Structures are given as structure tokens and as C-alpha cells.
Amino acid sequence: MTSTSTSATQSPAGQPPQAAAVPTPAATRRRRLPFSAWHLLLAPLALLFAVPLIWLLLSSVMSDAEINRFPPALWPSGINLGGYRYVLGNAMFPRWFANSLIVSAVAVGSNLLFGALGGYAFARMRFAGSRTVLTLMLATMVVPFQLTMIPTFLVMKKLGLIDTLGALIVPSLVTPFAVFLLRQFFLSLPRELEEAAWIDGCSRLRVLFLIVLPLSRPALSTVAVLTFLATWNDLTWPLIAINHDVHYTLQLGLTTFQGQHHTKWSAVMAGNAITITPVLLAFLAAQKSFIQSITSSGLKG
């Protein structure tokens, strides 16, 4: 009994070989299907999670009357850019944007540097108490910020950093998660590459910066994106550490649009739409590396 799916045709001597296999109609249909059953399940869920973002963007071009109407309007009657003009016309808005950018950029850079140094030390170097130190560091990841908030404030006050950008930068210089994620990724790299460099006379730091880090772009991208998201969107700590509006971050500055008796919701929505734009761009730019790092470091699930 011969197979009807695919078959290799023997070419006569001296003639060019014929096509080796002809895909069956079933195989062709499988290749051409643009979606699977999982897509049918996940697409509605993705749309459900996107509803708040879509409603935020739609509300940012509504008038205050449409936003405050009950039941709320689901679609704007027209494009109203009054909220955007109100936010962008605020004299402090560029300063708040710059403050958020400075704090986030320093936090991303320091987490990449110190996280790489710490992760490489825990992954490749054996020293007394390394496992204990690693365990204690990982234990701090389960401590909620509400428990460390007061000690952090007292330390920043002793350092004289309260009501300065330093109070926002110093606590976020390096996080245990950055060290842990980079350590997990470094463990997946073959040691033979580093051993060959050592034989050629490279020091550990040169091996780290010239060989290990160029191979760790997915993990570094993940640390950069997560650190940027955490510092850019943080509201609680700036609310505690900053008193004057000249040092406000963007998230803290947006709270000034909400008054005790009146809130200009169109400006709040427009401000939030502007605020999330850098976050979305950062995530979309590093999305592929982000997923690759999560799967290769064993952090999925």
C-alpha cells in the first residue's frame, strides 16, 4: 500500500531530480491556517485586558460633560483636544516630564550595571556565604514596600535627600530582581566561552563586559523595561519623599489636576495618555527580547 500524502519521485539517470514531495491538501490547510484554537480563546481575553487602555484614549478626547455623564459615554461625539491643551499648557509639565525621565534613566542604567555585576558574581564566583547572601537577598523580594517605607524615609532624611530627586534615585539604584534575573540568565550561558577568554588572558571584568553582556541582551532588555516601568509609574514613594512641585515626577504632577471640589477629568485622561506613551514604546521595542529572556531564564509560569 502506497502513501498518498508525500512521495519522493526517482529521476531517471541523466535527468534532473523531480520535486521530492507534494504536500497533501490536509497539510496545506494546516500550514495556511492563520490561527489556532488557542488564538480563538486568547483573542477575547486580550481584547478584555485592552478595554481600560482603549477607554482611556477615547476619554482623553472627550469633553468634561461627556466624561461626567451617567451612564458614561463609550464613544466621543467629536475630537476634543481641550484636555491635551490644558496639560501641555501647564508651565510645570515639561519639568515633571524631565524629572521622571532623569529618575527612570538613572535607575535603568544603575540596575543594568550593578545587577550585571551582582548577577555574575552569584552565577560564576564561589565565596564564603554566597548562598546565604543570595537567599537573604531573594527574601527581600517578598517584603512589601509598605513595610520598608518608613525605614527608607528615615535613611533618606539622614542623608539629607528628602524633597530632592536623590530621594527617588537612591532607593532604586539596584533591585534584587535585577540581580536574580541576570544571575539566572548567566547560568544558562556555556562556561567554555569564558574559559577560552581566561586562557587568552582576560580578567573577569573584561570577560563580563566583552563576552557575557553582549550575549545577554534579552535579559538586559527585560531588566531595563521592568525597571523603567517601575520607576516611571511609581506614585507612592514620590508622594512621600517630595514636597515641592518643582521636584514632582509626572505621576505626582498629574494628581494636581484633581481638586477637592472639582476635577478636570479630560486633563487627567489626556495627562495619563501622554504618560503611558513612553511606557508602551519601551515595551514594544523590547517585547521580543522580554519574552525570550523570560523563557530562557526559567522564570515563566
Side-chain angles (χ1 to χ4, degrees), residues 226-249:
L226 294 180
T227 304
F228 182 78
L229 292 178
T231 52
W232 184 270
N233 293 326
D234 189 19
L235 173 63
T236 305
W237 177 239
L239 189 62
I240 297 171
I242 301 300
N243 298 322
H244 294 91
D245 59 357
V246 71
H247 296 137
Y248 279 6
T249 59

Side-chain angles (χ1 to χ4, degrees), residues 90-173:
N90 190 304
M92 295 303 297
F93 188 80
R95 184 61 180 265
W96 298 338
F97 194 93
N99 289 340
S100 290
L101 200 60
I102 292 172
V103 173
S104 301
V106 175
V108 169
S110 62
N111 270 272
L112 291 178
L113 176 61
F114 298 128
L117 292 173
Y120 185 74
F122 284 118
R124 290 292 192 254
M125 301 172 68
R126 291 291 176 267
F127 51 90
S130 60
R131 289 185 177 276
T132 303
V133 174
L134 178 63
T135 303
L136 291 175
M137 186 195 69
L138 296 180
T140 62
M141 294 172 61
V142 300
V143 178
F145 174 71
Q146 288 77 7
L147 293 181
T148 61
M149 189 167 55
I150 295 178
T152 304
F153 178 84
L154 295 177
V155 171
M156 293 299 108
K157 186 177 180 181
K158 284 286 185 182
L159 295 175
L161 296 177
I162 292 298
D163 200 21
T164 66
L165 292 183
L168 307 180
I169 292 174
V170 172
S172 59
L173 284 177

Side-chain angles (χ1 to χ4, degrees), residues 38-49:
W38 280 109
H39 289 87
L40 296 178
L41 174 65
L42 295 177
L45 290 176
L47 183 61
L48 182 65
F49 284 112

Side-chain angles (χ1 to χ4, degrees), residues 57-67 69 73-85 266:
L57 297 177
L58 293 177
S59 300
S60 67
V61 294
M62 291 182 184
S63 63
D64 287 325
E66 286 180 300
I67 297 176
R69 193 173 67 192
L74 299 179
W75 192 262
S77 59
I79 304 299
N80 186 345
L81 300 180
Y84 287 94
R85 284 193 290 268
S266 60

